[in-house]
Short mmCIF file of all heavy atoms in Angstrom, two decimals:
data_model
loop_
_atom_site.label_atom_id
_atom_site.label_comp_id
_atom_site.label_asym_id
_atom_site.label_seq_id
_atom_site.Cartn_x
_atom_site.Cartn_y
_atom_site.Cartn_z
N GLY A 1363 93.94 13.30 -32.06
CA GLY A 1363 94.76 13.45 -30.87
C GLY A 1363 95.89 14.45 -31.02
O GLY A 1363 96.85 14.45 -30.25
N ARG A 1364 95.79 15.33 -31.99
CA ARG A 1364 96.83 16.35 -32.17
C ARG A 1364 96.77 17.34 -31.01
O ARG A 1364 95.71 17.63 -30.47
CB ARG A 1364 96.63 17.11 -33.49
CG ARG A 1364 96.61 16.24 -34.71
CD ARG A 1364 98.02 15.89 -35.15
NE ARG A 1364 98.00 15.22 -36.43
CZ ARG A 1364 98.28 13.94 -36.60
NH1 ARG A 1364 98.59 13.20 -35.57
NH2 ARG A 1364 98.26 13.39 -37.79
N ARG A 1365 97.92 17.86 -30.68
CA ARG A 1365 98.00 18.93 -29.69
C ARG A 1365 98.31 20.25 -30.35
O ARG A 1365 98.19 21.31 -29.75
CB ARG A 1365 99.04 18.59 -28.65
CG ARG A 1365 98.63 17.31 -27.88
CD ARG A 1365 99.74 16.78 -27.05
NE ARG A 1365 99.82 17.54 -25.81
CZ ARG A 1365 100.74 17.30 -24.88
NH1 ARG A 1365 101.62 16.38 -25.07
NH2 ARG A 1365 100.75 18.01 -23.78
N SER A 1366 98.76 20.17 -31.61
CA SER A 1366 99.14 21.36 -32.37
C SER A 1366 98.73 21.16 -33.83
O SER A 1366 98.55 20.03 -34.27
CB SER A 1366 100.66 21.58 -32.34
OG SER A 1366 101.13 21.74 -31.03
N VAL A 1367 98.63 22.26 -34.54
CA VAL A 1367 98.41 22.23 -35.98
C VAL A 1367 99.45 23.12 -36.63
O VAL A 1367 100.00 24.03 -36.01
CB VAL A 1367 96.98 22.70 -36.38
CG1 VAL A 1367 95.93 21.73 -35.86
CG2 VAL A 1367 96.69 24.11 -35.88
N GLY A 1389 91.99 24.42 -27.66
CA GLY A 1389 93.12 23.89 -26.91
C GLY A 1389 94.26 23.39 -27.78
O GLY A 1389 95.13 22.65 -27.30
N LEU A 1390 94.29 23.78 -29.04
CA LEU A 1390 95.34 23.36 -29.96
C LEU A 1390 96.33 24.50 -30.16
O LEU A 1390 95.92 25.65 -30.39
CB LEU A 1390 94.75 22.98 -31.32
CG LEU A 1390 93.80 21.79 -31.34
CD1 LEU A 1390 93.04 21.74 -32.66
CD2 LEU A 1390 94.56 20.51 -31.11
N ALA A 1391 97.61 24.20 -30.08
CA ALA A 1391 98.65 25.19 -30.40
C ALA A 1391 98.74 25.31 -31.92
O ALA A 1391 98.41 24.38 -32.64
CB ALA A 1391 99.98 24.75 -29.81
N THR A 1392 99.20 26.46 -32.39
CA THR A 1392 99.31 26.69 -33.84
C THR A 1392 100.73 27.08 -34.21
O THR A 1392 101.32 27.95 -33.58
CB THR A 1392 98.34 27.82 -34.28
OG1 THR A 1392 97.03 27.50 -33.86
CG2 THR A 1392 98.36 27.99 -35.78
N HIS A 1393 101.23 26.43 -35.25
CA HIS A 1393 102.51 26.78 -35.85
C HIS A 1393 102.21 27.29 -37.25
O HIS A 1393 101.48 26.65 -38.01
CB HIS A 1393 103.42 25.55 -35.95
CG HIS A 1393 103.80 24.98 -34.62
ND1 HIS A 1393 104.96 25.33 -33.98
CD2 HIS A 1393 103.16 24.10 -33.80
CE1 HIS A 1393 105.01 24.70 -32.83
NE2 HIS A 1393 103.94 23.95 -32.70
N THR A 1418 103.03 30.10 -32.87
CA THR A 1418 104.48 30.03 -33.04
C THR A 1418 104.75 30.28 -34.51
O THR A 1418 104.25 29.55 -35.37
CB THR A 1418 105.02 28.65 -32.62
OG1 THR A 1418 104.67 28.43 -31.26
CG2 THR A 1418 106.53 28.60 -32.78
N VAL A 1435 108.43 21.30 -38.56
CA VAL A 1435 107.51 21.22 -37.42
C VAL A 1435 106.96 19.80 -37.33
O VAL A 1435 106.91 19.20 -36.26
CB VAL A 1435 106.37 22.25 -37.55
CG1 VAL A 1435 105.28 22.00 -36.52
CG2 VAL A 1435 106.91 23.67 -37.42
N ASP A 1438 109.80 17.28 -36.38
CA ASP A 1438 110.25 17.39 -35.00
C ASP A 1438 109.20 16.95 -33.99
O ASP A 1438 109.41 17.06 -32.79
CB ASP A 1438 110.68 18.83 -34.71
CG ASP A 1438 111.91 19.23 -35.52
OD1 ASP A 1438 112.62 18.34 -36.02
OD2 ASP A 1438 112.15 20.44 -35.67
N GLY A 1439 108.06 16.47 -34.49
CA GLY A 1439 107.04 15.92 -33.60
C GLY A 1439 106.25 16.93 -32.83
O GLY A 1439 105.62 16.60 -31.84
N LEU A 1440 106.23 18.16 -33.29
CA LEU A 1440 105.52 19.21 -32.55
C LEU A 1440 104.01 19.09 -32.67
O LEU A 1440 103.28 19.74 -31.93
CB LEU A 1440 105.99 20.59 -33.00
CG LEU A 1440 107.44 20.90 -32.70
CD1 LEU A 1440 107.83 22.24 -33.29
CD2 LEU A 1440 107.70 20.87 -31.20
N LEU A 1441 103.51 18.29 -33.60
CA LEU A 1441 102.06 18.18 -33.76
C LEU A 1441 101.46 17.24 -32.73
O LEU A 1441 100.36 17.44 -32.27
CB LEU A 1441 101.71 17.71 -35.18
CG LEU A 1441 102.16 18.65 -36.29
CD1 LEU A 1441 101.72 18.11 -37.64
CD2 LEU A 1441 101.61 20.03 -36.08
N ARG A 1442 102.17 16.19 -32.34
CA ARG A 1442 101.66 15.27 -31.33
C ARG A 1442 102.19 15.60 -29.95
O ARG A 1442 101.52 15.41 -28.96
CB ARG A 1442 102.01 13.83 -31.68
CG ARG A 1442 101.12 13.27 -32.73
CD ARG A 1442 100.89 11.80 -32.49
NE ARG A 1442 100.08 11.25 -33.57
CZ ARG A 1442 98.78 11.13 -33.52
NH1 ARG A 1442 98.12 11.46 -32.45
NH2 ARG A 1442 98.11 10.62 -34.53
N GLY A 1443 103.43 16.09 -29.88
CA GLY A 1443 104.04 16.38 -28.59
C GLY A 1443 103.64 17.74 -28.06
O GLY A 1443 102.76 18.41 -28.61
N SER A 1444 104.29 18.16 -27.05
CA SER A 1444 104.02 19.48 -26.48
C SER A 1444 104.41 20.56 -27.47
O SER A 1444 105.42 20.42 -28.15
CB SER A 1444 104.82 19.67 -25.19
OG SER A 1444 104.43 18.71 -24.24
N PRO A 1445 103.63 21.61 -27.55
CA PRO A 1445 103.97 22.69 -28.48
C PRO A 1445 105.28 23.36 -28.12
O PRO A 1445 105.74 23.32 -27.04
CB PRO A 1445 102.79 23.64 -28.37
CG PRO A 1445 102.00 23.23 -27.20
CD PRO A 1445 102.44 21.87 -26.80
#
Side-chain angles (χ1 to χ4, degrees):
R1364 303 279 188 250
R1365 297 169 80 181
S1366 301
V1367 294
L1390 297 166
T1392 305
H1393 296 266
T1418 301
V1435 169
D1438 295 342
L1440 295 175
L1441 299 182
R1442 282 214 183 266
S1444 298

